[in-house]
Amino acid sequence: MSKIAIFLDSDGVLNTAIIRDGKPVAPTSLAELEIPEEVKPSLNRLKTAGYLLICVTNKPDIERGLMTQAEVDSIYNKMRHELPLDDVFICYVENSDCYKPKPGLLLDAAKKYDIDLAQSYMIGDRWRDIGAGQNAGCKTIWINRGYAERKPDPPADYMAYSLTEAVEWILSSK
């Protein structure tokens, strides 16, 4: 029997994005990682409802020379330890099939866990996240953080202003 997943971007959804010139950037060290208080209880509600929780994230910062693999590993080890995530899928290379808005990360997770993508959700705070969810055939939720960058086009199925609000919409839709 196929499973239903909630795919979650990390920076801006599971952890606080750092804002530079109105645009979000990832923390580049464990010291910069901040997990907002709403995240763990929100994920616990989804987990209790029976969803798989899978982080899908672009991390070109190693390729760009902004981070080391050890720094990325330390950030995601901490997130795995503190949050009820079932798995984390990371794309390190910009020109690849896994780099969002391409759906590769979601498709890889679907194969590994027998996920029904049409019944699953992608939650993200950037147009690339929503594009990846749409390209994989998922329902999409855009967390509008007011960044000075392009908005999802076509728009997400739902727009929220917090992870808590996104979770409420998913649970009320079930």
Side-chain angles (χ1 to χ4, degrees):
M1 183 172 163
S2 293
K3 298 170 186 77
I4 301 174
I6 309 297
F7 297 102
L8 304 119
D9 180 50
S10 56
D11 308 316
V13 177
L14 296 177
N15 60 276
T16 303
I18 298 163
I19 307 301
R20 291 198 180 111
D21 297 323
K23 295 184 179 183
V25 297
T28 57
S29 69
L30 193 55
E32 291 181 339
L33 179 67
E34 178 186 312
I35 299 172
E37 288 183 25
E38 74 165 333
V39 173
K40 189 171 183 177
S42 294
L43 296 184
N44 283 335
R45 291 185 68 204
L46 292 170
K47 184 59 91 179
T48 298
Y51 293 102
L52 280 175
L53 303 179
I54 300 175
C55 174
V56 290
T57 188
N58 292 340
K59 277 292 164 250
D61 295 336
I62 294 172
E63 185 178 57
R64 294 174 182 165
L66 301 173
M67 293 179 81
T68 65
Q69 185 67 54
E71 289 165 328
V72 171
D73 291 346
S74 69
I75 286 170
Y76 287 94
N77 286 339
K78 182 174 176 84
M79 289 176 72
R80 282 181 173 107
H81 178 74
E82 292 191 14
L83 301 174
L85 297 170
D86 291 293
D87 210 336
V88 175
F89 286 72
I90 302 172
C91 185
Y92 295 100
V93 181
E94 269 186 277
N95 295 319
S96 71
D97 290 338
C98 66
Y99 198 80
K100 295 180 291 180
K102 293 178 184 169
L105 295 174
L106 288 77
L107 299 177
D108 290 347
K111 286 179 196 163
K112 180 175 180 179
Y113 290 101
D114 187 31
I115 294 168
D116 180 348
L117 291 169
Q119 297 299 313
S120 296
Y121 298 82
M122 174 69 212
I123 302 174
D125 64 324
R126 303 185 79 185
W127 68 271
R128 290 180 182 280
D129 305 320
I130 303 312
Q134 291 166 338
N135 290 330
C138 295
K139 296 174 194 81
T140 56
I141 302 170
W142 179 50
I143 299 180
N144 184 349
R145 302 284 191 202
Y147 302 143
E149 64 177 16
R150 76 186 257 197
K151 304 202 176 349
D153 185 26
D157 294 301
Y158 183 75
M159 183 182 72
Y161 291 94
S162 69
L163 181 58
T164 302
E165 185 182 343
V167 168
E168 288 296 329
W169 186 74
I170 291 169
L171 295 176
S172 69
S173 302
K174 191 173 181 182

